[in-house]
Amino acid sequence: MKKPDKRRKDVAALLKIGQGLDWDEVKVKITEKLAERLKVKKPDLSDYELTFSVPRHQTSPIPLANEDDLNNLREAAIKCKDPQAKVIIEAILKKKGNGKENNVGSDDEDDGTDDDGADRPKKKKKAKKTPDELPLNMEVAAHVKTLRNRWVCNKAGCPSSGQCYIPADNKEHFPLSHNHFQIWAAAMAKNPPLATVNQPPNHRAFDADRDKNTSGVPTINFNIPPELLGLLRPPASENAANTVALPHRDRELMPLLTPTMQPGLDLMLIDFCTRFSLANAILTKLHNNGYTGTRTIKYIVVSELKEMGFMNGEIAAMKDAVEQWSHQG
């Protein structure tokens, strides 16, 4: 379809000015001719700029705004064999309220208005991205897809769900869960990468020997209160501190739900983060690492939060949220 031509076109008109007319009378005649050509009732001549030129005698347009300018036009025009002059009427561009220029009227438009902006498409607001659409999350998701396609297990009788990491010696098959893929993909997305498609990250979740040695063996947790722990230790010297503090490394291995706490209500991940006012960044990191709710959150230890990229303030927020959650059991 051919686009409409929006270029301005000149509109010509013939106007005879008698020798005895003064400037006010000439303005009336110009206004009447302007209204006739633009098809408007009463155009305001103050909205237009008038200039004139005379062939061979005054070729450059000069203003026509008062009685003196009219006399100059007459003096130049009578020098011609056939006295004539060209009067150019141009609309003055005024500022709109939004700072844009508005054409208040023109002798080259049919209706005296500028409708060029009416057909301009409005700018669309950018939709707010969901956590899954963030660049880092999209990169992790792409790595997960690549890893799932790479580590498909076709071994007959394999107890896994068809996804195994098979080392180079091809002896031991390591079953891969959704959590394994998330951790592996997140390590690949690091800068610099901490893993490749063929080499998993150095993470406790991929410690095959630990899983092998502990499989089938019940886990027994001994919860010893600090005050009883002090009785089991030999008496401290006079210069020793009276308080007993766990080493820094031991504190990082303590779960967020300490042995003295009781689990709270069973909540989904998004409900947990919403109820305890956790930031979206925390929700995204937990989701990317395969945590789905409080059933898995209660086993998180501080060192794992650091591996997931949690800042100190976010770790403190997680501790506070888990403590509040334990009181609502």
Side-chain angles (χ1 to χ4, degrees), residues 2 7 48 119 148 175 218 233 277 312:
K2 184 177 179 181
R7 292 177 297 179
Y48 300 83
D119 297 331
R148 287 189 178 275
R233 289 179 176 174
S277 304
N312 291 336

Side-chain angles (χ1 to χ4, degrees), residues 75-105:
E75 290 175 2
I78 61 177
K79 295 178 182 180
C80 300
K81 184 178 180 181
D82 182 13
Q84 60 178 306
K86 180 180 180 181
V87 177
I88 303 172
I89 306 173
E90 293 182 326
I92 299 174
L93 298 179
K94 294 184 178 181
K95 296 285 185 179
K96 285 185 176 181
N98 57 6
K100 295 182 179 179
E101 290 185 339
N102 180 32
N103 192 337
V104 298

Side-chain angles (χ1 to χ4, degrees), residues 15 33 41-42 68 71 74 97 101 112 127 131 159 163 168 258 261 285 301 309:
L15 177 64
K33 184 62 67 174
K41 291 183 178 180
K42 293 182 179 180
D68 292 336
N71 292 332
R74 285 192 174 116
E101 290 185 339
Q163 306 276 179
T258 63
M261 297 180 184
K285 290 173 183 176
V301 298

Side-chain angles (χ1 to χ4, degrees), residues 271-290:
D271 297 330
F272 175 79
C273 293
T274 302
R275 177 171 296 193
F276 300 110
S277 304
L278 293 176
N280 287 335
I282 295 178
L283 170 63
T284 300
K285 290 173 183 176
L286 293 174
H287 172 73
N288 288 344
N289 284 275

Side-chain angles (χ1 to χ4, degrees), residues 60 65 76 82 103 130 197 222 227 310-311:
S60 299
D82 182 13
N103 192 337
T130 62
V197 175
F222 292 93
E227 57 271 15
F310 275 67
M311 296 184 291

Side-chain angles (χ1 to χ4, degrees), residues 37-322:
R37 301 302 294 171
L38 296 183
K39 297 180 176 59
V40 294
K41 291 183 178 180
K42 293 182 179 180
D44 188 351
L45 209 58
S46 63
D47 292 333
Y48 300 83
E49 181 181 22
L50 278 66
T51 58
F52 75 92
S53 62
V54 178
R56 301 180 62 181
H57 297 283
Q58 181 59 53
T59 56
S60 299
I62 59 176
L64 177 61
N66 50 44
E67 190 74 30
D68 292 336
D69 296 336
L70 179 62
N71 292 332
N72 292 335
L73 183 152
R74 285 192 174 116
E75 290 175 2
I78 61 177
K79 295 178 182 180
C80 300
K81 184 178 180 181
D82 182 13
Q84 60 178 306
K86 180 180 180 181
V87 177
I88 303 172
I89 306 173
E90 293 182 326
I92 299 174
L93 298 179
K94 294 184 178 181
K95 296 285 185 179
K96 285 185 176 181
N98 57 6
K100 295 182 179 179
E101 290 185 339
N102 180 32
N103 192 337
V104 298
S106 175
D107 61 348
D108 55 9
E109 296 287 335
D110 289 339
D111 56 2
T113 60
D114 186 358
D115 293 332
D116 289 349
D119 297 331
R120 294 175 186 167
K122 295 182 179 179
K123 292 184 177 179
K124 295 182 179 180
K125 294 183 178 179
K126 291 184 177 180
K128 190 175 180 181
K129 292 185 176 181
T130 62
D132 290 339
E133 296 174 329
L134 296 177
L136 180 58
N137 295 345
M138 293 175 67
E139 183 180 359
V140 171
H143 287 322
V144 169
K145 184 177 181 180
T146 301
L147 290 169
R148 287 189 178 275
N149 293 334
R150 169 65 179 85
W151 297 108
V152 177
C153 180
N154 297 319
K155 182 180 178 180
C158 182
S160 71
S161 59
Q163 306 276 179
C164 288
Y165 167 63
I166 307 172
D169 56 18
N170 200 23
K171 292 181 179 180
E172 296 289 340
H173 283 222
F174 185 88
L176 295 173
S177 65
H178 175 75
N179 189 40
H180 286 109
F181 282 119
Q182 289 289 339
I183 296 172
W184 195 338
M188 292 174 62
K190 294 284 187 180
N191 188 15
L194 301 180
T196 65
V197 175
N198 296 314
Q199 182 61 45
N202 185 16
H203 191 277
R204 62 193 302 267
F206 292 87
D207 189 352
D209 292 335
R210 179 179 58 82
D211 293 341
K212 181 178 178 181
N213 294 335
T214 58
S215 60
V217 179
T219 302
I220 302 176
N221 295 321
F222 292 93
N223 300 328
I224 304 177
E227 57 271 15
L228 181 58
L229 192 63
L231 296 176
L232 298 177
R233 289 179 176 174
S237 62
E238 294 181 358
N239 296 330
N242 293 328
T243 58
V244 177
L246 292 174
H248 177 72
R249 181 58 183 170
D250 291 344
R251 291 199 303 270
E252 288 192 350
L253 294 177
M254 286 290 291
L256 296 180
L257 185 69
T258 63
T260 59
M261 297 180 184
Q262 293 295 326
L265 300 174
D266 186 10
L267 300 175
M268 297 296 292
L269 176 59
I270 190 170
D271 297 330
F272 175 79
C273 293
T274 302
R275 177 171 296 193
F276 300 110
S277 304
L278 293 176
N280 287 335
I282 295 178
L283 170 63
T284 300
K285 290 173 183 176
L286 293 174
H287 172 73
N288 288 344
N289 284 275
Y291 293 97
T292 58
T294 52
R295 292 187 179 183
T296 52
I297 289 175
K298 63 184 178 182
Y299 296 113
I300 300 177
V301 298
V302 175
S303 61
E304 292 176 333
L305 292 177
K306 292 185 176 181
E307 290 176 1
M308 287 185 272
F310 275 67
M311 296 184 291
N312 291 336
E314 293 173 333
I315 293 175
M318 281 294 296
K319 288 181 178 180
D320 179 65
V322 171

